[in-house]
Amino acid sequence: MGGNYPNIWHTGGSLVDTETIGREDWEELQRNLEATIPVYDKVNRVATFGQVSKWRRMVRERLPKQGRLLEIGCGPGSFAEDVLGYDLVCLDPIPEMLRVAEERVNIARTTRGDEPATFVHGKAEELPFQDSSFDAVCTLFSFRDWYDKRAGISESLRVLKPGGTFIIVDPAKINRFHGFLGWLWMRTYVSLYARMLYKSESHPWKWLTKTYVSFGTTKDYVKMIREQGFNEVEAKVVFPGMATIWQGKKPN
Ligand SMILES: C[S@@+](CC[C@H](N)C(=O)[O-])C[C@H]1O[C@@H](n2cnc3c(N)ncnc32)[C@H](O)[C@@H]1O
């Protein structure tokens, strides 16, 4: 058993279900995510008809007004860049994502007069932070990539202060048929655009379709967030198949 991946050995290296990703697939996924860096924001905007900025704003509106905020899976800093104020901590397992995000986010923060954010290498499943050390934890378009979603939710609960807010955004499906339509969407429109940008058949979005297909429904994760110990759990389907926002509170 490899020390870094304690929860996923039963999966035999394959993507299996709505809860876990096998080790080999997670590593392959990380390589593909890293390859998206140069065009990440462009493809996201086109794939969501420009709606992604609105969804990011909806998350900001749901956060407490101040305090210590953790973004898990910050990627190249697309959300963190526009977070005003807070004592902001951004975490990601890909060093190159952190490098790009740090430059981008801290230039924006310094220009606005905000304190620089802190960038930490790590994974949702083993957060390198003390218990009860954040007022809010959020994760946008990253939860679907976590190799053990229950462990990541549980870790988020641990690092939140009592009464702290937890927010997830990701594209959940309504049911299997809707999942099939989402798959078609990724394999046609999004794939075509990514192929044009990369000028190659083997672009990373082709691979990312796998996590999209394996991801569960809005209800699956409402249940999971409750089962991991959060209170006041609710979900809003903002755009079916593209964005659901889940939120919960750590019990006092
Ligand atoms: C698609 S990007 C999301 C970027 C950004 N949050 C946004 O709003 O666009 C997903 C990020 O999640 C990270 N990620 C994947 N698995 C993770 C895990 N187990 N724990 C934390 N982050 C993870 C990836 O490295 C990647 O940078």
Side-chain angles (χ1 to χ4, degrees), residues 26 29-30 33 36 40-41 44 52 56 71-80 91-94 97 122-125 139-148 208:
W26 189 73
L29 168 64
Q30 292 305 94
L33 282 166
T36 66
Y40 178 75
D41 290 310
N44 255 2
V52 67
R56 295 189 196 290
E71 188 195 357
I72 302 178
C74 65
S78 318
F79 172 73
L91 174 129
D92 205 280
I94 300 179
M97 286 285 189
K123 302 175 206 141
E125 295 82 352
T139 185
L140 295 87
F141 309 105
S142 169
F143 178 62
R144 155 175 124 241
D145 304 327
W146 297 1
Y147 59 80
D148 185 336
L208 301 191

Side-chain angles (χ1 to χ4, degrees), residues 142-251:
S142 169
F143 178 62
R144 155 175 124 241
D145 304 327
W146 297 1
Y147 59 80
D148 185 336
K149 293 172 180 50
R150 276 186 194 276
I153 295 173
S154 210
E155 276 289 90
S156 302
L157 183 74
R158 178 183 68 74
V159 304
L160 273 170
K161 295 176 187 170
T165 305
F166 180 49
I167 300 182
I168 299 177
V169 185
D170 239 309
K173 45 184 95 76
I174 299 167
N175 51 36
R176 282 172 80 105
F177 178 66
H178 187 218
F180 171 70
L181 295 181
W183 173 82
L184 266 184
W185 172 253
M186 292 290 284
R187 287 305 293 261
T188 53
Y189 179 70
V190 180
S191 242
L192 186 71
Y193 183 62
R195 206 182 318 160
M196 272 163 49
L197 282 181
Y198 279 84
K199 298 183 179 47
S200 153
E201 272 279 323
S202 62
H203 56 79
W205 266 270
K206 200 166 179 178
W207 206 92
L208 301 191
T209 303
K210 273 198 190 187
T211 53
Y212 184 84
V213 170
S214 319
F215 199 59
T217 63
T218 296
K219 279 187 187 161
D220 288 336
Y221 300 116
V222 166
K223 185 163 173 277
M224 187 184 284
I225 296 167
R226 277 197 189 121
E227 284 171 358
Q228 296 314 114
F230 278 95
N231 275 352
E232 298 175 42
V233 179
E234 30 183 88
K236 181 174 174 58
V237 179
V238 184
F239 195 121
M242 280 206 209
T244 294
I245 301 182
W246 293 264
Q247 66 188 99
K249 290 239 176 272
K250 177 165 176 170

